[in-house]
């Protein structure tokens, strides 16, 4: 298929087909003798086979139809030809190199197409140079989606409409997670069980039944859910599960039990870092190898640990490798401790709810929410990413605007939507949903950026709803190669080939 984004190394394959400089007779991979009577005409249409109306004799039968030329045998499927009706008239699949043992490919309507491999009939040195060049080009391009090279076959309106729909779907999934977690915690409360010490199964009828607001009057349920989801968001992909387990182990009830009037944060940090298994072994280290801050954390932990009956997490459960230092678990726990201090001692959740009631400008509301969540560094963590290895620079934020926006998008908006909806404050619930669909967020996500690039989106991808839609598109459709279920894929691949 000829595309506007085709690389020079790949278009060289067309020359191999045109010049026909084969060293010997040609045979299909299955061993049938093949004679090229007419190479056909190059196809100028985007998204179709490379050559049209070729005449090829295989065995004693002459076929007239299309020819598709790919770098590798597996490209037939990975490029979506197997589900594209425009390829139903292909009579030959010519490849530079075979990368599997299948001797044929299948069209969308189930017809077998024979394959020939150029590497068997052309000078070996030329083939290897082409292969190396093509692989080098491909490494530069992620090709997260099958249709990236023919994405121009669908219009901007179709793409954005579907992404909007997916973004709202993803938002509703997050809301459902909040509701399920509230039900779980309410169930545990009724049984007087504590996580994560007790293993349990939530009865299916508990998850399915509608929850009543009378069961949700305990604000500790809401604080615990907010706490867990926020810590999960702070953990990124690599540490989100462990961060959530930490929030479940050092739960709201325990943190409130160790709160003091003078400085509760120092005990929150002591509990979180020790239960996380990340605090250095102060007892067995020389004093000069530990800081006063580290030693004080240990002393504070000693003073409260008799109140803790849960498990200590393993240091090996945390991932530091290939993370930017600002995203190290130590930094995120320090930021999380300060955020949960605001929840417990400064009524952060009430402040968030109040902003939705008082602020009517969506852009101003977003800025207000950001300011409630941004955490500037103070003291020790202004010069450290990990324990007892000081930096020669000052770190400004434990939770900056980028991470604050992630928390707003993935935690705050679903959380407050569920709260307003359950307590029959429908106007405010709709305001939350409207904010989600209108605002632009300052979020850095390489997957979203690559998806937006491959879909040829301009500036709309940083809208919250489109941002979430891109993630949902990749995880639900593109990563599973479910092009037939995707409305963009349907537009590109499922059009009938004109007679």
């Amino acid at each position: 298929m000829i595309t506007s984004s085709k690389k020079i190394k790949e278009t060289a394959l067309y020359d191999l087909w045109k010049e026909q400089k084969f060293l010997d007779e040609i045979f299909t991979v299955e061993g049938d003798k093949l004679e090229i009577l007419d190479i056909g005409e190059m196809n100028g249409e985007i998204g179709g086979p490379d050559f049209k109306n070729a005449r090829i004799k295989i065995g004693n039968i002459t076929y007239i139809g299309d020819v598709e030329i790919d770098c590798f045998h597996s490209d037939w499927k990975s490029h979506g030809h197997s589900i594209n009706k425009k390829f139903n008239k292909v009579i030959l699949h010519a490849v530079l190199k075979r990368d599997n043992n299948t001797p044929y490919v299948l069209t969308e309507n189930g017809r077998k197409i024979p394959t020939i491999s150029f590497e068997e009939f052309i000078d070996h040195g030329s083939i290897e140079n082409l292969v190396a060049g093509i692989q080098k080009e491909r490494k530069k391009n992620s090709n997260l989606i099958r249709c990236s090279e023919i994405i121009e076959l669908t219009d901007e309106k179709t793409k954005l409409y579907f992404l909007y729909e997916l973004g709202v779907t993803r938002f509703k999934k997050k809301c459902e997670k909040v509701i399920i977690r509230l039900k779980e915690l309410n169930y545990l409360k009724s049984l007087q069980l504590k996580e994560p010490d007790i293993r349990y199964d939530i009865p299916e009828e508990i998850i399915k039944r509608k929850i009543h607001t009378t069961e949700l009057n305990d604000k500790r349920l809401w604080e615990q859910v907010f706490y867990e989801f926020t810590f999960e968001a702070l953990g990124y992909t690599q540490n989100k599960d462990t961060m959530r387990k930490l929030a479940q182990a050092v739960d709201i009830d325990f943190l409130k039990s160790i709160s003091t009037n003078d400085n509760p944060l120092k005990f929150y940090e002591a509990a979180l870092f020790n239960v996380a298994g990340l605090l250095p072994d102060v007892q067995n280290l020389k004093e000069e190898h530990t800081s006063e801050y580290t030693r004080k954390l240990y002393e504070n932990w000693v003073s409260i640990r008799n109140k803790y009956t849960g498990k200590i997490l393993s240091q090996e459960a945390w991932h530091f490798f290939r993370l930017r230092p600002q995203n190290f678990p130590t930094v995120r726990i320090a930021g999380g401790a300060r955020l949960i201090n605001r929840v417990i001692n400064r009524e952060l959740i009430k402040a968030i709810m109040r902003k939705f009631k008082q602020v009517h400008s969506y852009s101003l509301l977003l800025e207000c929410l950001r300011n409630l969540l941004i955490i500037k560094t103070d003291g020790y963590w202004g010069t450290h990413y990990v324990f007892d290895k000081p930096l020669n620079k000052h770190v400004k934020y434990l939770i900056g605007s980028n991470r604050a926006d992630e928390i707003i998008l993935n935690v705050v908006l679903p959380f407050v939507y569920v709260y307003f909806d359950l307590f029959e404050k429908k106007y405010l619930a709709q305001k939350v949903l409207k904010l989600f669909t209108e605002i632009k967020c300052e979020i850095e996500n390489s997957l979203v950026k690559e998806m937006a690039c491959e879909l040829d989106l301009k500036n709309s991808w940083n809208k919250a709803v489109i941002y979430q839609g891109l993630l949902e598109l990749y995880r639900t459709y593109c990563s599973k190669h479910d092009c037939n279920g995707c409305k963009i894929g349907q537009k590109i691949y499922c059009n009938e080939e004109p007679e």
Side-chain angles (χ1 to χ4, degrees):
M1 104 192 106
I2 301 172
T3 76
S4 59
S5 59
K6 205 76 166 174
K7 300 293 182 288
I8 293 175
K9 290 287 184 181
E10 295 193 9
T11 55
L13 295 179
Y14 302 145
D15 294 334
L16 292 178
W17 179 251
K18 290 176 184 177
E19 293 168 3
Q20 301 285 302
K21 293 181 179 179
F22 303 122
L23 299 177
D24 207 339
E25 292 182 322
I26 309 172
F27 292 86
T28 68
V29 173
E30 289 187 296
D32 296 318
K33 185 176 179 180
L34 183 145
E35 185 179 353
I36 301 168
L37 304 177
D38 187 339
I39 65 170
E41 307 158 354
M42 284 197 70
N43 182 15
E45 178 192 13
I46 296 171
D50 296 314
F51 288 83
K52 305 281 285 183
N53 302 316
R55 289 174 60 241
I56 295 170
K57 187 176 182 180
I58 301 176
N60 295 319
I61 302 175
T62 300
Y63 298 87
I64 300 176
D66 304 335
V67 175
E68 172 63 15
I69 302 176
D70 284 320
C71 301
F72 304 103
H73 188 277
S74 60
D75 288 345
W76 178 267
K77 187 173 182 180
S78 64
H79 290 173
H81 305 331
S82 60
I83 59 172
N84 194 336
K85 293 179 180 179
K86 291 181 178 180
F87 287 77
N88 281 346
K89 293 182 180 180
V90 170
I91 58 174
L92 181 68
H93 184 220
V95 301
L96 180 60
K97 193 176 182 69
R98 291 178 64 200
D99 55 354
N100 61 40
N101 295 321
T102 308
Y104 57 83
V105 292
L106 294 173
T107 61
E108 181 272 340
N109 58 12
R111 187 167 54 85
K112 285 185 179 181
I113 305 298
T115 298
I116 63 166
S117 176
F118 287 137
E119 67 178 334
E120 298 175 15
F121 310 108
I122 291 179
D123 175 65
H124 183 74
S126 300
I127 292 291
E128 291 305 312
N129 288 336
L130 267 176
V131 169
I134 290 166
Q135 288 176 333
K136 184 178 179 181
E137 287 288 349
R138 289 191 173 188
K139 283 181 180 179
K140 295 178 184 177
N141 301 282
S142 59
N143 285 342
L144 293 173
I145 59 177
R146 277 179 170 179
C147 59
S148 60
E149 292 186 345
I150 51 174
I151 195 63
E152 56 201 272
L153 288 176
T154 188
D155 56 278
E156 187 90 350
K157 184 179 179 181
T158 298
K159 290 181 283 188
L160 291 177
Y161 184 85
F162 186 48
L163 289 170
Y164 181 96
E165 182 182 303
L166 291 176
V168 173
T169 298
R170 187 172 176 82
F171 179 80
K172 290 180 178 178
K173 286 180 181 179
K174 291 180 183 296
C175 293
E176 187 60 27
K177 283 179 64 178
V178 172
I179 294 171
I180 289 173
R181 188 58 183 151
L182 284 167
K183 290 178 179 179
E184 288 177 348
L185 290 172
N186 192 57
Y187 178 73
L188 293 178
K189 178 186 172 185
S190 69
L191 298 180
Q192 296 185 330
L193 296 179
K194 175 179 168 55
E195 292 181 313
D197 302 333
I198 305 297
R199 296 190 66 181
Y200 62 89
D201 290 316
I202 303 291
E204 190 174 346
E205 60 268 21
I206 296 293
I207 298 298
K208 287 186 175 180
R209 76 172 179 83
K210 186 175 180 180
I211 195 166
H212 298 288
T213 53
T214 53
E215 303 172 74
L216 300 174
N217 288 326
D218 186 350
K219 78 171 187 176
R220 288 177 300 178
L221 292 178
W222 293 95
E223 289 174 338
Q224 183 63 33
V225 170
F226 187 86
Y227 175 22
E228 290 177 18
F229 281 52
T230 299
F231 264 52
E232 184 177 355
L234 287 171
Y236 286 84
T237 303
Q238 293 89 332
N239 291 299
K240 67 177 185 178
D241 291 338
T242 313
M243 285 289 281
R244 185 182 64 252
K245 289 176 183 176
L246 178 61
Q248 291 172 351
V250 186
D251 62 15
I252 282 288
D253 288 339
F254 176 75
L255 290 176
K256 287 187 174 183
S257 75
I258 61 173
S259 293
T260 60
N261 291 328
D262 58 339
N263 185 9
L265 177 59
K266 65 183 182 183
F267 292 105
Y268 299 164
E269 283 192 299
L272 287 166
F273 281 122
N274 276 278
V275 174
L278 293 174
L279 193 70
D281 187 3
V282 174
Q283 284 183 302
N284 297 316
L285 290 173
K286 293 181 180 180
E287 188 169 320
E288 60 267 24
H289 293 160
T290 61
S291 64
E292 180 182 353
Y293 171 80
T294 307
R295 293 192 297 274
K296 196 64 180 175
L297 276 182
Y298 177 75
E299 291 170 11
N300 289 334
W301 171 243
V302 170
S303 72
I304 60 174
R305 68 181 172 188
N306 63 323
K307 296 182 179 181
Y308 183 73
T309 58
K311 294 180 180 179
I312 304 296
L313 302 180
S314 167
Q315 185 174 357
E316 286 69 38
W318 298 96
H319 298 279
F320 287 81
F321 184 60
R322 288 184 177 173
L323 286 180
R324 291 189 300 175
Q326 296 94 324
N327 298 331
F328 280 177
T330 40
V331 176
R332 292 306 178 193
I333 291 172
R338 285 154 179 78
L339 206 56
I340 203 61
N341 182 42
R342 292 181 183 180
V343 170
I344 295 173
N345 299 301
R346 300 183 190 177
E347 299 282 6
L348 174 61
I349 296 176
K350 275 190 178 180
I352 289 172
M353 302 289 184
R354 196 160 50 243
K355 293 299 181 186
F356 278 93
K357 295 173 184 177
Q358 296 174 346
V359 182
H360 302 294
S361 163
Y362 292 129
S363 58
L364 181 57
L365 178 54
L366 176 61
E367 192 60 35
C368 289
L369 295 175
R370 259 192 212 126
N371 291 336
L372 289 173
L373 298 172
I374 288 174
I375 305 285
K376 292 184 178 180
T377 56
D378 55 82
Y380 186 82
W381 293 108
T383 56
H384 291 77
Y385 288 133
V386 293
F387 284 105
D388 301 330
K389 292 182 180 179
L391 304 169
N392 56 8
K393 64 176 183 178
H394 182 75
V395 181
K396 292 183 178 180
Y397 296 98
L398 291 171
I399 300 177
S401 62
N402 188 293
R403 183 56 16 186
D405 279 8
E406 283 275 12
I407 295 171
I408 291 168
L409 204 53
N410 295 308
V411 182
V412 172
L413 297 185
F415 181 88
V416 293
Y417 178 87
V418 168
Y419 180 86
F420 290 141
D421 189 57
L422 286 175
F423 284 96
E424 297 296 328
K425 298 179 180 180
K426 301 299 183 181
Y427 163 73
L428 290 172
Q430 287 304 307
K431 186 175 181 179
V432 175
L433 188 56
K434 186 69 173 175
L435 178 68
F436 170 69
T437 59
E438 291 292 329
I439 59 171
K440 292 184 177 181
C441 292
E442 296 177 7
I443 300 174
E444 292 290 331
N445 185 301
S446 57
L447 174 61
V448 170
K449 280 190 172 182
E450 288 179 43
M451 285 290 292
C453 181
E454 295 197 17
L455 286 170
D456 196 27
L457 298 178
K458 301 298 187 288
N459 301 315
S460 52
W461 66 268
N462 60 354
K463 284 191 72 171
V465 65
I466 302 300
Y467 174 92
Q468 291 284 38
L470 286 164
L471 290 173
E472 189 72 9
L473 175 66
Y474 177 74
R475 289 169 183 167
T476 304
Y477 298 102
C478 299
S479 65
K480 299 175 183 178
H481 300 305
D482 183 13
C483 303
N484 287 331
C486 169
K487 290 183 180 178
I488 297 173
Q490 291 170 10
K491 182 84 171 180
I492 291 173
Y493 294 122
C494 298
N495 292 323
E496 294 285 353
E497 172 74 354
E499 294 296 333

